[in-house]
Amino acid sequence: MKRTGVILFLALACGLVLAAGFLLVAAAPDASGLVSLIRIAKGPALTAQVLARLPIDVRQELATCLLAFADREDLALLRRNRVPFTVLERNAARREFLVVQTSGPGDIASLRAAGHAAAVEPQTAVFWTEQGNAAESVPAGLPRKALPPRSVLPYLRTRPAPVEAAAAASAQDPFIESIVSLVSSSDLAAHVQSLQDFQTRYASTTNCESAGEALFSSCTALGLDDVHFEPFTFSGSYMSRNVVAEKTGETYPKEVYIICSHYDSTSPSRLTLAPGADDNASGTAAVLEAAGVLAPYSFDFTVRFISFSAEEWGLWGSRAYAAAARAAGDHILGVINLDMIAYADAMPEDLQIIVNQDSTWLADLFLAAGSHYGVVGGTKTVDPSFVYSDHAPFWDNGYPALLAIEDEPLTNPYYHRTTDTLDKLNLDFFTSATRTSIGLLAELAQPIKTGTPRTPVGVVASWVVYRSLFNALPAIHLAWTAQSDAAGYNVYRAPTAHGEFLKAPGSPVIGTEYTDTAVILGTTYYYVITAVGPTGLESNRSRETIPVESSIIASSSDRTISPLMLRGLR
Amino acid sequence: MRSRHLTAVLAAFVLALAVFARAQEVSLSVGAGGLFPSSGDYREIYGSGLSLGGDVWLKLRGRFGFAAGFGFLSDKGLALVTGQGHAEYPLSFRRTSVPLVVFYEFGSGPARVKLGAGAGFHSFKETWETVEWLDPLMRPSLSYRGHEISPRIVMTATLALIGRISVFGSASYDSIRAGADSALGTTVKIGGFQLLGGLAFKIF
Ligand SMILES: [Zn+2]
């Protein structure tokens, strides 16, 4: 009897322990990593505050929605915050997802025949397969882009209000005009011809690698500061190389502007014949021409001339480059991506300039450069959904970038065909587009002219507060490095990045400090400094500087700043 | 403006008291000295400033009496800076005060000590001398003007010299809290410990 009692007791105890364990496991957060791919519609519920607060793993911004990965907790959080979303795929972990451009139900059907597809916008679908090899399974001919490996939310959160660049205020610079006048139609035609002569430049073919080597040699011959290959693997075990050439900036060597294109091509006979004259020997020729024309000059900022490979396979070259740049903390200030800039379906042909919200200023400057240097018109399209060229990986990594393309939707009937050859191109349009691109690039990189003072460096700006017993005066203190060739310095201020810079009162300043008291706390201001020589010649502008404010606000918030702000000084 | 009116009213009041209360003794003192401010911010901005003062002392009944006067304080300083700024913004601070105290006098003969307590009526202005808001939508002025009434204690020692003239030294303390309605919205102690020395003249 006694033993039976003990056994019963032990059995009961074991049962209780098992039940408790089961309950614990059931209640624990899902450790298996069940992650869903969701679509969050842009709308009133998706405010900046929500974006700032919720830890959402956003991987793609599109025109009307965001695509994000979310686990069960994230979904609950979204529901609690009344952010509407739809689940596209419940088991999204370790899957490869592509954003695919679709032009109708036929495209969706062909995607569904090859795997799973969900339409997320009228012209955008998400594609994936059970096996996870979406890039290999996606039907050829549909523009596609993979979701980046990291969240793009940090770039959406820090996004400033959209700004208009001060394009209207800018004027043609005769020095830059003299540079772009060196662009030659015959050079461009020769570059296209030599790329076309490789028969195919389809990435994975040896011809494509040979084309890369030819580009490398052409850049090397120009006497630039650096030319190198950047190899990468794509689509499993294939390899190809980006060709990266650099003209290092004299004043700001670590601040970089990029002009780029993809040199690979495709066609239905891609392994043997894909001349890709318009797509994209045209852009690559323009990049090569830019390197040739700019090589003899010196610039404040570094310029990189990049020819990407494996774009037609899904932007592999630019994805590798942009991700590595972000990982290295590179300061890429702007990217001009040229893809198909030589076919004119109508005259006068104009360019489509496609940007996301962070890059609108770049498009404004491009259009202004068009009127100054290129005699080519253009249309700005703010469309984060157009991610089907090498600008998109820069967007994914928070860098401003534009795509210049002849038409979107495309009108070139030879696109991705074996008939995309030089004879179909319009050289006048091609030359204008190239001149505009190089004009903008030169404007951004700031050519150094002999006789003018050097561009100021070491500009630092910080918020300060001057305080009496009963009041406080917020101010911005600017300081910069003294230079021997300057008799004074002009201080310019703009309310937005790349905005209209107005000379500050008291300019030119003698000395290397300036205090701006015409400021309101909580507002962001942008400053540039120029040096003025003894004869009045003005230097290029220093890079844009934003005052640091965190420390001053934090240190004074206890008694100085917050009442000041509360009482209407803001 | 207000302090000038107040001074006139008080002067009339003191004269009336002297006549109608049949004061036993009336004397006038005039001195100069300095203020040692209570507030650290005040000390940091202005240091210790120059102050001038004059009082009429009326002895009414026995050793008790009543005193009224006029004080003036003027300081110059520089705005404090938080952050990496090197600009200088000169400030000035002026305060006029009308003290009214009841006192008790110790001692007899040439050396006497008066202990008093009462109130001070203060009018003051802080001025930013070289800068104003550029944007009229912001506050109209960086300068600040105010009035306060504060408690005051005072101790004065006099030593007769010749005839009706004596020398005096006085120490007074005003606790003045000001600025609750200023842009910063925090109160600042603009009073402190004041030392004056000068001459006193016995009228009758
Ligand atoms: Zn292309």
Side-chain angles (χ1 to χ4, degrees):
Chain A
M1 280 311 276
K2 238 180 195 174
R3 188 174 291 173
T4 321
V6 169
I7 287 168
L8 263 174
F9 174 77
L10 282 175
L12 201 66
C14 285
L16 276 172
V17 166
L18 277 174
F22 177 77
L23 279 174
L24 272 174
V25 168
D30 182 15
S32 68
L34 192 65
V35 174
S36 304
L37 178 70
I38 61 170
R39 174 191 187 278
I40 307 171
K42 284 183 180 173
L46 200 67
T47 59
Q49 288 89 330
V50 167
L51 280 179
R53 205 176 56 235
L54 297 186
I56 322 172
D57 184 4
V58 178
R59 295 299 176 92
Q60 184 67 57
E61 184 196 19
L62 297 170
T64 62
C65 62
L66 305 176
L67 302 179
F69 290 118
D71 62 19
R72 213 185 295 179
E73 267 177 71
D74 299 336
L75 296 181
L77 212 56
L78 287 171
R79 279 190 202 100
R80 269 207 300 284
N81 283 276
R82 298 177 198 290
V83 178
F85 61 88
T86 49
V87 174
L88 303 174
E89 166 60 27
R90 292 217 167 269
N91 188 9
R94 288 182 290 280
R95 283 255 162 82
E96 186 183 17
F97 292 89
L98 300 181
V99 175
V100 182
Q101 190 182 32
T102 54
S103 51
D107 287 343
I108 299 278
S110 72
L111 285 172
R112 294 218 163 113
H116 298 281
V120 289
E121 282 187 344
Q123 301 200 1
T124 313
V126 175
F127 174 77
W128 70 100
T129 63
E130 287 299 327
Q131 298 75 29
N133 56 345
E136 286 95 89
S137 313
V138 69
L142 289 182
R144 83 295 301 269
K145 174 189 167 288
L147 297 188
R150 266 174 294 279
S151 175
V152 299
L153 189 59
Y155 315 123
L156 300 182
R157 277 177 178 163
T158 56
R159 166 176 289 175
V163 296
E164 296 276 322
S170 76
Q172 193 200 59
D173 179 334
F175 190 77
I176 292 176
E177 171 57 28
S178 73
I179 296 176
V180 300
S181 68
L182 303 172
V183 172
S184 118
S185 302
S186 53
D187 277 2
L188 289 171
H191 294 325
V192 171
Q193 184 65 54
S194 64
L195 286 163
Q196 183 182 309
D197 287 345
F198 286 95
Q199 301 303 312
T200 180
R201 300 186 308 281
Y202 185 63
S204 76
T205 64
T206 51
N207 297 38
C208 179
E209 295 311 292
S210 306
E213 270 149 34
L215 289 167
F216 181 93
S217 321
S218 302
C219 289
T220 306
L222 296 172
L224 295 163
D225 295 304
D226 176 52
V227 184
H228 65 271
F229 282 120
E230 291 193 7
F232 59 91
T233 57
F234 66 97
S235 199
S237 56
Y238 294 108
M239 276 195 65
S240 192
R241 296 170 294 184
N242 297 328
V243 182
V244 181
E246 179 177 300
K247 177 91 197 161
T248 307
E250 302 281 322
T251 314
Y252 299 106
K254 293 200 181 297
E255 316 279 323
V256 182
Y257 286 101
I258 289 175
I259 188 165
C260 63
S261 66
H262 70 89
Y263 68 89
D264 65 312
S265 65
T266 192
S267 79
S269 320
R270 48 192 166 268
L271 293 176
T272 51
L273 186 64
D278 190 29
D279 186 12
N280 184 30
S282 66
T284 307
V287 170
L288 203 53
E289 187 69 358
V293 163
L294 300 185
Y297 298 93
S298 295
F299 295 87
D300 283 323
F301 295 90
T302 288
V303 181
R304 287 197 191 135
F305 310 90
I306 306 181
S307 302
F308 291 118
S309 186
E311 190 265 2
E312 302 290 3
W313 282 73
L315 320 179
W316 288 92
S318 52
R319 277 161 63 194
Y321 183 86
R326 175 51 71 191
D330 284 5
H331 289 232
I332 298 174
L333 305 180
V335 177
I336 302 167
N337 175 36
L338 308 175
D339 195 354
M340 306 180 72
I341 56 164
Y343 178 82
D345 64 316
M347 281 308 280
E349 177 61 282
D350 70 349
L351 283 165
Q352 297 283 316
I353 308 303
I354 296 172
V355 287
N356 66 354
Q357 201 184 317
D358 296 332
S359 317
T360 53
W361 61 274
L362 205 50
D364 295 334
L365 292 180
F366 192 101
L367 299 184
S371 64
H372 298 147
Y373 309 112
V375 207
V376 66
T379 312
K380 173 172 86 171
T381 308
V382 181
D383 183 6
S385 290
F386 195 86
V387 292
Y388 309 109
S389 185
D390 293 314
H391 58 286
F394 289 98
W395 292 354
D396 286 345
N397 287 282
Y399 296 122
L402 68 76
L403 164 67
I405 188 166
E406 65 220 10
D407 283 301
E408 171 47 38
L410 286 171
T411 55
N412 185 344
Y414 314 105
Y415 167 66
H416 284 186
R417 307 193 85 87
T418 55
T419 46
D420 180 8
T421 48
L422 176 62
D423 55 297
K424 316 294 190 321
L425 305 185
N426 182 314
L427 280 182
D428 286 342
F429 169 61
F430 186 12
T431 308
S432 293
T434 306
R435 284 173 56 107
T436 300
S437 306
I438 296 176
L440 170 60
L441 184 64
E443 263 182 7
L444 294 170
Q446 300 187 170
I448 297 170
K449 301 160 194 169
T450 51
T452 60
R454 279 174 293 127
T455 310
V457 291
V459 183
V460 287
S462 61
W463 280 95
V464 292
V465 173
Y466 291 93
R467 186 163 56 82
S468 68
L469 289 178
F470 300 108
N471 219 325
L473 177 70
I476 290 167
H477 177 255
L478 293 149
W480 52 91
T481 308
Q483 53 191 63
S484 54
D485 58 355
Y489 302 88
N490 284 331
V491 176
Y492 293 85
R493 189 179 94 177
T496 56
H498 322 286
E500 189 177 355
F501 280 89
L502 298 178
K503 207 181 276 183
S507 297
V509 178
I510 311 301
T512 58
E513 283 189 314
Y514 184 81
T515 301
D516 188 354
T517 53
V519 294
I520 301 172
L521 271 179
T523 308
T524 305
Y525 299 95
Y526 298 79
Y527 292 90
V528 295
I529 312 286
T530 63
V532 184
T535 59
L537 276 178
E538 195 175 8
S539 75
N540 289 336
R541 291 170 171 185
S542 64
R543 63 159 298 191
E544 290 183 11
T545 305
I546 312 171
V548 289
E549 63 175 318
S550 50
S551 61
I552 175 85
I553 299 301
S555 70
S556 332
S557 59
D558 51 338
R559 57 172 300 247
T560 307
I561 305 295
S562 45
L564 193 69
M565 292 171 85
L566 284 174
R567 284 175 176 263
L569 286 178
R570 191 143 62 166
Chain B
M1 295 305 114
R2 203 183 115 180
S3 69
R4 203 169 296 166
H5 292 149
L6 194 65
T7 314
V9 169
L10 282 165
F13 175 67
V14 170
L15 280 174
L17 262 179
V19 172
F20 294 105
R22 283 181 291 168
Q24 299 164 353
E25 194 182 306
V26 176
S27 60
L28 179 76
S29 66
V30 180
L35 171 77
F36 300 92
S38 313
S39 145
D41 280 352
Y42 193 113
R43 285 196 299 272
E44 229 183 303
I45 296 172
Y46 296 107
S48 43
L50 171 80
S51 57
L52 302 168
D55 290 274
V56 180
W57 304 82
L58 310 174
K59 232 157 83 182
L60 296 174
R61 286 266 140 81
R63 290 178 173 273
F64 283 98
F66 171 83
F70 181 79
F72 179 73
L73 174 81
S74 175
D75 273 322
K76 287 200 173 298
L78 288 176
L80 300 177
V81 59
T82 314
Q84 302 271 310
H86 303 120
E88 292 193 342
Y89 293 104
L91 305 172
S92 70
F93 185 81
R94 272 171 234 284
R95 189 182 93 201
T96 51
S97 303
V98 174
L100 276 175
V101 296
V102 174
F103 67 82
Y104 182 86
E105 189 177 70
F106 297 92
S108 55
R112 297 182 187 187
V113 171
K114 296 185 186 77
L115 280 181
F121 300 85
H122 312 278
S123 173
F124 53 90
K125 186 182 184 194
E126 183 185 62
T127 310
W128 289 67
E129 299 199 322
T130 57
V131 64
E132 273 303 342
W133 296 126
L134 292 180
D135 187 340
L137 289 176
M138 294 199 254
R139 290 179 67 87
S141 178
L142 277 168
S143 299
Y144 178 74
R145 188 191 277 282
H147 306 281
E148 292 296 334
I149 300 177
S150 71
R152 175 184 177 92
I153 53 170
V154 61
M155 184 179 84
T156 304
T158 53
L159 181 67
L161 275 183
I162 36 163
R164 291 166 179 269
I165 298 175
S166 354
V167 287
F168 82 94
S170 83
S172 59
Y173 181 80
D174 295 279
S175 171
I176 316 169
R177 293 174 172 278
D181 65 339
S182 72
L184 295 185
T186 48
T187 53
V188 184
K189 292 180 189 162
I190 58 168
F193 195 63
Q194 185 171 265
L195 288 178
L196 288 181
L199 294 175
F201 181 77
K202 186 176 165 188
I203 297 169
F204 61 85

